[in-house]
Amino acid sequence: MFLSIESKIMSVAVASNTPDRVFVNLRRFNLIMGVFHLIQGIAMIALSSDFSITLSTQYLRAVISGNSFSLEQNLQPAASIPFGPAVALFLLLSAGAHFLLGTVLYNWYVKNLKRKINQARWYEYALSSSLMIVLIGMLVGVYDVSTLILMFSINAMMNLFGLMMELHNQTTSKTDWTAFVYGCIAGIMPWIVIVLYISGAAQSVNTEIPAFVYAIIVTLFIFFNIFAVNMWLQYRGIGPWKNYLYGERVYIILSLVAKSLLAWQIWAGQLQPS
């Protein structure tokens, strides 16, 4: 036990002794990635059509006919969501996070990285990736506001379990995977809903989901899971992932690629001006 604790302390010390130039390079990397996200976000607003989706909600209403009484669902429109600005929003959220980490939050960022934790990453992902999963849900026909709120929330919880994984293992001598497992369970739930809607559409004679939507689902599902693989490799200390900062760079690259793929696949499929 004492050997494992000593190993943990030495591992943290190695991170603390990382040359300052490594963090300076990471700062520059964040700023560059922020620019890439920002440019794409602006382009998405400027180049997109006015395509929107009307969301709905259902309440029970009493139906009285003569002496009979029953409760029926009452479908009502709730809001119309313009897709171009919504897609731009998750790009702009990421841009803002990168710029903050490269400027006013830089010292806090470095302090946390030396402890092998990045709290800002998980808070940003809780917002941006949850918005992404909601938009994917809308593309396959999930228009119910309550369902979308739940999809957003449980995906956000998946990311907060990632934060909990890093926080918890600050105080353990041996990696505890509890938060990781719970995060994986939470993360799969929105995809189950998406698959159910796709299956329902496939069985409908008059409904056909466009090919670009299938491409989005496959590519984004793969990338969402690669994030979990990256964390697993970090905590297993496999190959270059023994260096926490290597995993940090992989997170940043994965975030850019996943968001860019979703944004431009949606643009190619639905948001091009007619």
Side-chain angles (χ1 to χ4, degrees):
M1 176 179 177
F2 291 109
L3 287 175
S4 61
I5 293 174
E6 182 181 359
S7 175
K8 186 83 172 181
I9 293 172
M10 288 178 65
S11 175
V12 174
V14 170
S16 300
N17 292 331
T18 302
D20 288 342
R21 61 179 173 76
V22 175
F23 294 107
V24 172
N25 289 338
L26 194 55
R27 180 183 201 172
R28 186 180 301 114
F29 190 53
N30 269 280
L31 292 174
I32 292 171
M33 290 299 176
V35 171
F36 283 157
H37 282 96
L38 179 62
I39 291 173
Q40 291 186 93
I42 294 173
M44 195 57 55
I45 294 174
L47 299 176
S48 293
S49 68
D50 57 357
F51 171 72
S52 63
I53 289 180
T54 299
L55 303 183
S56 61
T57 188
Q58 297 189 72
Y59 300 105
L60 288 176
R61 66 176 178 180
V63 178
I64 301 174
S65 178
N67 295 325
S68 66
F69 171 85
S70 63
L71 293 175
E72 296 180 356
Q73 289 186 329
N74 182 25
L75 182 66
Q76 295 291 330
S80 182
I81 304 298
F83 235 71
V87 171
L89 181 57
F90 65 71
L91 291 164
L92 297 176
L93 283 169
S94 293
H98 285 302
F99 287 137
L100 286 173
L101 292 179
T103 54
V104 294
L105 296 181
Y106 174 68
N107 291 332
W108 174 77
Y109 178 48
V110 171
K111 179 181 177 181
N112 279 281
L113 289 178
K114 289 179 177 179
R115 295 170 48 214
K116 299 187 176 182
I117 186 172
N118 180 4
Q119 298 182 50
R121 177 203 307 134
W122 302 112
Y123 290 129
E124 187 260 306
Y125 287 178
L127 295 175
S128 62
S129 74
S130 299
L131 176 57
M132 290 168 69
I133 205 73
V134 162
L135 294 178
I136 295 170
M138 291 168 65
L139 286 174
V140 300
V142 185
Y143 298 159
D144 179 66
V145 172
S146 299
T147 303
L148 292 171
I149 290 173
L150 291 174
M151 289 177 66
F152 183 99
S153 300
I154 197 161
N155 189 82
M157 290 305 301
M158 173 192 70
N159 288 286
L160 296 179
F161 273 122
L163 172 59
M164 182 59 65
M165 175 74 175
E166 293 196 331
L167 284 172
H168 187 189
N169 284 288
Q170 296 289 305
T171 58
T172 59
S173 58
K174 182 180 178 182
T175 301
D176 189 311
W177 294 93
T178 304
F180 181 86
V181 172
Y182 288 165
C184 290
I185 294 172
I188 201 65
M189 294 305 167
W191 292 100
I192 292 175
V193 173
I194 289 168
V195 169
L196 287 174
Y197 270 77
I198 292 175
S199 300
Q203 295 171 16
S204 174
V205 176
N206 299 318
T207 304
E208 182 178 352
I209 293 179
F212 84 93
V213 176
Y214 287 106
I216 286 173
I217 292 165
V218 172
T219 55
L220 267 295
F221 179 77
I222 291 171
F223 271 95
F224 268 55
N225 283 281
I226 292 177
F227 281 88
V229 172
N230 187 52
M231 171 173 271
W232 183 84
L233 290 169
Q234 269 189 322
Y235 278 90
R236 287 294 183 187
I238 296 175
W241 279 269
K242 290 179 181 178
N243 184 344
Y244 181 84
L245 298 183
Y246 181 86
E248 172 68 8
R249 284 181 173 269
V250 173
Y251 275 124
I252 294 172
I253 294 170
L254 285 174
S255 177
L256 175 67
V257 174
K259 291 179 174 69
S260 299
L261 279 173
L262 178 58
W264 294 107
Q265 283 177 330
I266 292 176
W267 184 84
Q270 289 282 34
L271 296 180
Q272 293 185 65
S274 56

